Amino acid sequence: MPRFHHANLGVPPGLEDAEGAFLVDILGYRRIDVPADLVGVARWYEADDASQIHLSTDPDHRPAARAHTAVEIDTEVESRLRAAGISYRTTGRDGLTVLFCADPAANRWELRIAG
């Protein structure tokens, strides 16, 4: 049975810190060490369930128009998005509140809040 391990997202040079702040401050990931050969090339972040988001510096980064990463998240994410000045769109689906936003590198996110 497959189990999700990580998603790898591209980040333009110079946005690595802003992208990391989005993952930590908005989504609640924590930064973890990368293998020595990836220092300066990638950054890794982990959630409490051990799933990870890897960020790879990509000078040719072009965010996808529709592709996105979806995560289940706590109810406070909306106030954190507002406080950070990050625009989002809200919809409901199957008893969930679903927020769509973009991170600093313009990667799309679907934030699913059970409610």
Side-chain angles (χ1 to χ4, degrees), residues 35-87:
D37 62 319
L38 294 179
V39 171
V41 176
R43 295 184 184 185
W44 291 1
Y45 297 82
E46 188 172 73
D48 288 342
D49 70 355
S51 64
Q52 298 177 2
I53 300 294
H54 296 179
L55 302 178
S56 294
T57 304
D58 180 2
D60 297 320
H61 176 65
R62 287 177 184 77
R66 299 214 27 105
H68 61 275
T69 303
V71 295
E72 294 177 350
I73 191 112
D74 64 86
T75 58
E76 298 302 314
V77 71
E78 194 167 0
S79 63
R80 292 190 303 269
L81 288 166
R82 275 196 306 271
I86 298 171
S87 63

Side-chain angles (χ1 to χ4, degrees), residues 7 10 24 32 34 53 65 71 83 90 98-99 101 104 107:
V24 172
I32 60 173
V34 298
I53 300 294
V71 295
T90 305
V98 181
L99 287 73
C101 67
N107 297 307

Side-chain angles (χ1 to χ4, degrees), residues 88-93 96-100 110-113:
Y88 60 92
R89 172 174 67 84
T90 305
T91 188
R93 185 174 295 146
L96 298 172
T97 298
V98 181
L99 287 73
F100 294 93
E110 176 180 325
L111 308 177
R112 303 170 62 85
I113 304 168

